[in-house]
Amino acid sequence: MRWLPFELHTHTPHSDGTHSLLEMCRAAAELGLDGIALTDHNTVSGLADAEAVSKQTGITIIPGMEWTTFYGHMLTLGAPYCEWRDLGPGDIHKGIARVHEQGGIVGIAHPYSFGSPICTGCHWDYTISDWNQIDYMEVWHETMPPMKNHNVPAFRQWTELLNEGYRISATAGRDWHRSNPADNLAAYTYIGLPDAPLPHSLTDIIAAIRQGQICLSMGPLLEISLTLGADQYGLGDEVPLVIREAHSVAELTVQITRSAQPERPWGAEEGTLIIVDSNLGELAKVPACGYDGLPIMLTTAGLGWLRVRLFGTIDGILTTMACTNAIYFANGQRDEE
């Protein structure tokens, strides 16, 4: 698996951004990013020179769009333009179906941002009747996202949906409108892709986001591996029922890799903690400083999912520095449905 940092929410002058696609991709390369998703508001016209810009800068460009409506903003990735203007507050699923039919995925953008009158439509007010149709949620929004109040309920909702059995990926999105070197740090969305020659195909990238092969981070990459018997599982994988019944104890290993960007947090400083979250609450808490990669032993009874957070200090504030998406556990009830 090759883990590449992406920015999945960006804008150019084709909507309300001020930097051209070329300027943004040059800035992305300086920030250590391997790719971006271009998600201009209600248009894909900015993608006209995407191929040339990608060749010039080495930045992978995912085609996307941000449906910008009175009832919420929805990101679409990997699909051509899909109509959104006929969607009322109760029929967002009609639009979602159009994106899925074109091979794309959908994600709710900044669901708990301020709405009217500060930002009409920025708060999510569409009715979701089937959360299985939502591919991902933007749980970290803007720069320094772990410290933004409107991301707290978004992260909480994602956790609650995991507890209810839904498999929804979590992403970070800077909502990038201009390239200013003085801006605060934005989070990386690390995407796990096949260890194959670059560039990766759009199909591989979309599949990885949908599956949840993702780590959100202010700097360090978290890679986790769960071992049960002779079998190993990574982010987005499901542990089959037959395996968990045969092995009640799992071994979880965590690898922390520092970002190449010197201004980014390391992740293994004194006081930083590796925390294993699950539907059962916190399963383990291990000091990251001096962690030598020895397995963290976990009992699998009752587990529906687990993820790993890195909790430490950024700019003097204790916060989540990085968080993986989930590893899932099959259960008998789901298998019968």
Side-chain angles (χ1 to χ4, degrees):
M1 188 77 73
R2 175 180 290 167
W3 293 88
L4 302 179
F6 275 73
E7 170 53 58
L8 297 181
H9 190 163
T10 72
H11 299 280
T12 71
H14 287 260
S15 57
D16 61 346
T18 60
H19 49 198
S20 69
L21 182 58
L22 178 59
E23 291 168 337
M24 179 167 55
C25 286
R26 284 173 173 166
E30 293 174 359
L31 292 170
L33 292 165
D34 281 274
I36 66 162
L38 180 56
T39 55
D40 274 319
H41 298 283
N42 299 336
T43 181
V44 294
S45 59
L47 291 163
D49 56 350
E51 184 176 355
V53 169
S54 182
K55 288 181 179 178
Q56 185 172 346
T57 62
I59 295 293
T60 297
I61 301 171
I62 305 170
M65 189 168 73
E66 182 175 9
W67 290 351
T68 307
T69 79
F70 291 119
Y71 312 110
H73 294 189
M74 174 162 277
L75 299 163
T76 70
L77 300 180
Y81 179 92
C82 292
E83 187 56 64
W84 55 271
R85 290 170 293 181
D86 60 340
L87 305 176
D91 55 7
I92 187 66
H93 286 282
K94 181 169 63 176
I96 293 172
R98 293 169 183 159
V99 177
H100 286 164
E101 287 167 2
Q102 296 292 326
I105 56 177
V106 298
I108 299 175
H110 46 72
Y112 289 93
S113 288
F114 287 113
S116 297
I118 296 173
C119 181
T120 300
C122 290
H123 187 276
W124 185 262
D125 291 315
Y126 282 105
T127 299
I128 301 295
S129 58
D130 182 6
W131 281 96
N132 289 305
Q133 298 303 308
I134 304 299
D135 299 299
Y136 70 97
M137 293 178 60
E138 190 178 70
V139 301
W140 275 5
H141 176 243
E142 298 181 331
T143 58
M144 298 299 282
M147 302 178 189
K148 297 293 173 63
N149 288 336
H150 69 283
N151 290 326
V152 174
F155 196 93
R156 182 188 307 121
Q157 184 180 30
W158 173 50
T159 302
E160 292 169 351
L161 288 166
L162 293 178
N163 287 340
E164 292 171 18
Y166 296 104
R167 300 185 177 184
I168 297 174
S169 301
T171 66
R174 175 175 177 171
D175 211 346
W176 200 3
H177 287 78
R178 58 197 57 83
S179 297
N180 186 346
D183 284 345
N184 290 324
L185 292 178
Y188 290 146
T189 298
Y190 285 102
I191 301 176
L193 296 166
D195 192 8
L198 298 176
H200 287 291
S201 72
L202 176 62
T203 300
D204 285 343
I205 295 171
I206 294 303
I209 297 172
R210 180 190 288 116
Q211 187 172 343
Q213 292 168 192
I214 293 171
C215 171
L216 314 182
S217 180
M218 293 303 298
L221 167 65
L222 298 182
E223 296 178 77
I224 68 174
S225 177
L226 188 82
T227 302
L228 282 87
D231 300 289
Q232 285 192 330
Y233 303 90
L235 297 182
D237 289 343
E238 178 189 85
V239 178
L241 183 61
V242 64
I243 298 296
R244 65 180 301 182
E245 286 180 337
H247 304 278
S248 60
V249 177
E251 299 179 357
L252 180 71
T253 57
V254 181
Q255 179 178 335
I256 305 172
T257 303
R258 185 170 190 168
S259 168
Q261 301 297 305
E263 71 276 13
R264 296 272 174 176
W266 173 191
E269 298 89 346
E270 186 72 35
T272 304
L273 296 172
I274 297 169
I275 299 174
V276 183
D277 291 327
S278 76
N279 56 299
L280 302 178
E282 287 187 5
L283 298 180
K285 189 179 292 185
V286 178
C289 182
Y291 173 68
D292 55 8
L294 289 176
I296 300 169
M297 308 306 291
L298 304 172
T299 300
T300 63
L303 286 181
W305 60 269
L306 66 78
R307 68 181 177 221
V308 173
R309 284 186 296 126
L310 198 61
F311 188 79
T313 302
I314 302 177
D315 289 350
I317 299 174
L318 282 170
T319 188
T320 295
M321 304 170 67
C323 181
T324 72
N325 271 241
I327 294 175
Y328 302 99
F329 295 80
N331 60 66
Q333 180 180 0
R334 184 166 180 264
D335 288 348
E336 292 170 0
E337 291 177 348

